[in-house]
């Protein structure tokens, strides 16, 4: 009869960006631990949400696999006399291994013939070894950054607050950092605050669902994608969330709830990369596009239900308004200078130790571009464009917009190059670099 096992590690909120590294490591080490313990299993799934990491194993064997060991003893000629009777060497070896001398086996290899004791170790019951497997798993997990808490030496991604360890309905005892395992998890922080008992390991996902926690990260991701699409359709637009935004939102919430917000149309004068980045970086919002052009709306998510959603919407609109006002101010300041006028500011930005400033780098790039262009016989016009693009491609590092949004480096350079009257080939090259 196969069993189902559960380990849930309840923690303080884990940063969303950590899960891409944590979950593969959790699965790999869980599999390694079970295999090292000689516990056969059918399937293994790992779950991650802001306040919990979990492993669910199905088809788990009742007990460890038996282990067969062969222990090499003395040479055959030392173990048996001329009549084939065991000598004291064979008797002592058999006694030391706890086997009858009659069960010793003879094997030959390139060094000669030796006697062997063959031992078969019966496996322990799964309930007796699973606690050690989980303890070692938790100790071996790696994180982008770990922390200590309290007075202990325990290091983990965030302080551990509860543990659920079950084999079917049976609690598997273990202790980590002073926290004892049990069957009590915690529901959603606001929708179902307080403990929730998990009756059986196989009921974990559905039990937490009744407590308004969607533990399956793939289900949360589908929910975020579906809600974003549905809300954008209300505005006759499409949701736009670059750089795995939906995945990040799914890892920031245990019960994602989408809503539509708006901002002033005056901010539509900002370049679209600025709008999208301001929403994405600071507020985790989806932009709404219609025919590839932004609308004065966004789609945000809260971790919770629809209670007082209008209040949440107003608060988010107020926060975004401040971000966009800052971006508009930076954009206005940057437009007052050409890229060429910004070049001297690169002297104050270090490139690397012993390699000078970013202005030194720009000069080297211009020199290299000239050499490559001449060796490729590109012609004088393209040579001049390549040199100019190489010289200006780092100039936007000195703009307020790129200081605020470093991911826009190059993108803003292309935009500002056009505003500075640079040839189109130069602007495109800066953006593409």
């Amino acid at each position: 009869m196969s069993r189902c096992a559960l380990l849930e590690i309840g923690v303080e909120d884990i940063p969303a960006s950590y899960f891409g590294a944590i979950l593969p490591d959790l699965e790999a080490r869980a599999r390694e631990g079970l295999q090292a313990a000689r516990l056969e299993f059918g399937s293994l799934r790992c779950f991650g949400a802001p306040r919990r990491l979990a492993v669910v194993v199905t088809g788990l064997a009742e007990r460890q696999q038996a282990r067969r060991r062969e222990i090499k003893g003395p040479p055959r000629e030392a173990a048996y006399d001329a009549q084939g009777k065991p000598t004291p060497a064979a008797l002592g070896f058999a006694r030391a291994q706890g086997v009858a001398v009659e069960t010793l086996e003879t094997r030959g290899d390139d060094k000669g013939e030796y006697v062997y004791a063959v031992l078969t170790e019966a496996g322990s019951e799964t309930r007796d070894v699973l606690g050690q497997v989980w303890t070692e798993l938790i100790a071996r997990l790696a994180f982008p950054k770990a922390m200590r808490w309290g007075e202990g030496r325990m290091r983990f991604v965030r302080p551990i607050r509860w543990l659920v360890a079950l084999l079917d309905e049976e609690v598997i005892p273990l202790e980590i950092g002073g926290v004892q395992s049990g069957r009590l998890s915690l529901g959603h922080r606001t929708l179902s605050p307080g403990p929730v008992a998990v009756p059986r390991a196989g009921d974990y996902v559905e039990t937490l669902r009744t407590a308004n926690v969607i533990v399956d990260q793939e289900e949360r991701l589908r929910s975020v994608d579906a809600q974003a699409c549905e809300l954008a359709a209300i505005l006759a637009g499409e949701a736009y969330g670059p750089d795995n935004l939906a995945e990040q939102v799914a890892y920031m919430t245990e019960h994602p709830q989408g809503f539509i917000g708006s901002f002033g149309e005056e901010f539509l004068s900002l370049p679209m990369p600025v709008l999208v980045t301001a929403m994405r970086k600071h507020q985790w919002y989806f932009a709404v596009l219609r025919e590839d052009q932004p609308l004065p709306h966004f789609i945000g998510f809260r971790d919770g239900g629809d209670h007082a959603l209008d209040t949440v919407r107003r608060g988010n609109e107020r926060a975004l308004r401040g971000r966009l006002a800052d971006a508009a101010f930076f954009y206005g300041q940057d437009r007052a200078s050409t890229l060429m006028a910004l070049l001297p500011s690169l002297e104050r930005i270090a490139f690397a130790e012993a390699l000078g400033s970013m202005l030194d780098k720009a000069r080297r790039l211009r020199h290299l571009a000239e050499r490559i262009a001449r060796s490729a016989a590109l012609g004088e016009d393209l040579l001049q464009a390549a040199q100019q693009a190489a010289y200006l491609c780092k100039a936007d590092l000195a703009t307020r917009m790129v200081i605020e949004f470093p991911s826009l480096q190059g993108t803003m350079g292309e935009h500002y190059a056009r505003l500075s009257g640079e040839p189109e080939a130069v602007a495109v090259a800066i953006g593409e670099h």
Side-chain angles (χ1 to χ4, degrees):
M1 177 180 174
S2 62
R3 313 291 295 273
C4 180
L6 162 69
L7 172 68
E8 184 192 53
I9 311 165
V11 294
E12 295 183 10
D13 291 62
I14 302 171
S17 60
Y18 285 15
F19 284 97
I22 291 175
L23 289 178
D25 186 54
L26 177 63
E27 179 173 349
R29 293 187 185 276
R31 291 182 182 277
E32 291 171 5
L34 292 169
Q35 290 165 359
R38 311 196 315 276
L39 290 173
E40 293 185 328
F41 60 93
S43 66
L44 183 150
R45 285 204 64 192
C46 294
F47 302 102
R51 294 203 297 162
R52 65 202 79 224
L53 297 169
V55 181
V56 175
V57 185
T58 59
L60 189 60
E62 290 270 6
R63 59 189 313 119
Q64 292 176 298
Q65 288 179 295
R67 181 165 61 179
R68 175 185 169 93
R69 290 195 301 143
E70 296 183 354
I71 302 175
K72 189 176 182 180
R76 183 183 183 283
E77 57 268 24
Y80 298 98
D81 60 19
Q83 288 73 40
K85 295 181 179 180
T87 66
L91 293 170
F93 173 65
R95 189 182 311 113
Q97 303 307 319
V99 299
V101 70
E102 295 82 7
T103 63
L104 296 179
E105 299 180 8
T106 302
R107 308 277 173 79
D109 57 27
D110 54 357
K111 295 182 180 180
E113 291 190 322
Y114 291 83
V115 295
Y116 286 80
V118 180
L119 306 177
T120 301
E121 298 178 8
S124 300
E125 290 191 19
T126 298
R127 64 164 60 89
D128 296 328
V129 297
L130 195 56
Q132 184 62 31
V133 172
W134 292 150
T135 300
E136 293 176 359
L137 166 66
I138 294 171
R140 294 176 60 204
L141 285 175
F143 307 103
K145 288 184 179 179
M147 62 187 299
R148 291 190 178 95
W149 62 95
E151 298 179 356
R153 299 180 179 179
M154 178 70 190
R155 289 177 61 87
F156 206 68
V157 61
R158 288 294 184 270
I160 296 175
R161 297 309 187 200
W162 76 88
L163 291 168
V164 178
L166 298 177
L167 182 61
D168 291 332
E169 70 282 353
E170 180 183 356
V171 173
I172 299 298
L174 62 135
E175 179 182 341
I176 302 293
V179 179
Q180 301 279 350
S181 62
R183 66 173 71 252
L184 293 181
S185 180
L186 285 183
H188 189 273
R189 179 179 279 118
T190 59
L191 298 178
S192 300
V196 54
V198 182
R200 295 175 59 86
D203 299 333
Y204 173 64
V205 173
E206 291 306 316
T207 299
L208 268 292
R209 192 189 304 281
T210 64
N212 291 292
V213 174
I214 303 173
V215 295
D216 186 343
Q217 60 274 8
E218 295 177 5
E219 182 181 348
R220 294 199 308 277
L221 176 58
R222 290 192 297 270
S223 175
V224 169
D225 278 331
Q227 290 185 65
C229 290
E230 291 169 5
L231 293 170
I234 294 173
L235 302 168
E238 297 180 350
Y240 179 62
D243 303 323
N244 300 316
L245 175 57
E247 183 175 306
Q248 292 297 301
V249 171
Y251 283 127
M252 293 172 65
T253 57
E254 295 193 326
H255 190 102
Q257 172 66 57
F259 59 89
I260 295 173
S262 302
F263 57 87
E265 293 193 11
E266 67 272 16
F267 294 121
L268 292 178
S269 61
L270 290 169
M272 191 173 105
V274 174
L275 275 175
V276 171
T277 303
M279 296 182 200
R280 166 71 173 82
K281 178 184 177 183
H282 292 296
Q283 309 300 139
W284 305 93
Y285 299 153
F286 290 80
V288 182
L289 307 184
R290 182 187 297 158
E291 297 179 356
D292 295 328
Q293 295 302 311
L295 300 178
H297 303 285
F298 65 90
I299 296 169
F301 282 83
R302 74 181 299 189
D303 187 9
D306 57 6
H307 175 69
L309 203 56
D310 283 339
T311 303
V312 173
R313 178 184 298 106
R314 289 194 297 271
N316 280 267
E317 288 174 344
R318 194 159 49 245
L320 181 60
R321 190 182 309 121
R323 297 293 186 187
L324 294 180
D326 288 346
F329 174 74
F330 298 148
Y331 184 55
Q333 281 201 322
D334 292 343
R335 293 181 64 182
S337 299
T338 64
L339 282 185
M340 188 63 72
L342 290 170
L343 275 175
S345 300
L346 296 183
E347 188 70 57
R348 300 192 298 271
I349 303 176
F351 171 50
E353 186 176 356
L355 292 177
S357 67
M358 291 303 298
L359 183 58
D360 296 323
K361 178 181 176 69
R363 290 168 177 155
R364 289 193 294 269
L365 286 172
R366 180 174 59 177
H367 176 67
L368 289 169
E370 178 187 6
R371 293 187 59 182
I372 294 171
R374 291 193 185 282
S375 67
L378 293 184
E380 195 63 28
D381 289 345
L382 288 178
L383 183 149
Q384 292 297 328
Q387 280 187 290
Q388 186 74 345
Y391 195 37
L392 295 177
C393 69
K394 301 298 181 183
D396 64 349
L397 286 171
T399 65
R400 294 292 301 272
M401 191 68 76
V402 173
I403 291 171
E404 179 69 14
F405 303 115
S407 64
L408 292 180
Q409 202 274 312
T411 300
M412 294 312 301
E414 177 178 1
H415 185 79
Y416 290 146
R418 290 193 179 96
L419 294 179
S420 300
E422 297 293 339
E424 181 65 11
V426 172
V428 171
I430 291 173
E432 289 182 348
H433 99 278

